[in-house]
């Protein structure tokens, strides 16, 4: 049985079990964007990044955007993030 101190972990585990193919996104202030379960970067500049999220394209717009890290599953974008759009 999970204790209340593990609520965040429990939610993460539940998310992975119920929706394993749906990307998970996290915005930290307006300075960092994390995404896992992406399917690649479609376009990239210092003002906009388009990410394949499967059924949608995730468009990040802002200033001084930099792709700081990317693996097959995860990516991180830093900069001044002004807008996040889900484009079908």
């Amino acid at each position: 049985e999970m204790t209340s101190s593990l609520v965040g972990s429990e939610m993460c585990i539940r998310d992975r079990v119920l929706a394993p193919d749906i990307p998970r996104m996290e915005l930290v202030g307006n300075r960092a964007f994390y995404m896992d379960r992406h399917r690649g970067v479609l376009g990239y500049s210092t003002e906009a990044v388009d990410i394949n999220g499967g059924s949608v394209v995730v468009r990040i717009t802002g200033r001084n955007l930099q792709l700081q890290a990317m693996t097959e599953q995860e990516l991180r974008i830093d900069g001044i993030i002004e807008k996040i759009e889900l484009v079908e």
Side-chain angles (χ1 to χ4, degrees):
E1 181 176 331
M2 298 221 165
T3 65
S4 61
S5 65
L6 297 177
V7 170
S9 298
E10 180 181 6
M11 292 174 68
C12 183
I13 291 168
R14 187 179 315 133
D15 174 56
R16 291 185 187 277
V17 171
L18 295 178
D21 295 330
I22 295 174
R24 189 177 76 78
M25 296 171 270
E26 180 178 343
L27 181 64
V28 180
N30 69 336
R31 300 295 178 146
F33 174 83
Y34 298 90
M35 182 172 174
D36 67 358
R37 297 180 236 160
H38 69 88
R39 296 187 181 167
V41 174
L42 303 172
Y44 173 77
S45 74
T46 58
E47 291 84 32
V49 180
D50 287 346
I51 307 160
N52 183 350
S55 61
V56 297
V57 172
V58 179
R59 179 169 294 145
I60 311 297
T61 55
R63 294 177 279 142
N64 302 320
L65 300 178
Q66 297 179 359
L67 185 59
Q68 290 295 332
M70 184 168 130
T71 67
E72 187 176 313
Q73 289 285 320
E74 301 175 355
L75 63 78
R76 174 182 158 190
I77 297 169
D78 289 347
I80 300 170
I81 299 166
E82 297 171 345
K83 187 186 331 182
I84 299 171
E85 297 176 86
L86 303 177
V87 182
E88 292 187 37

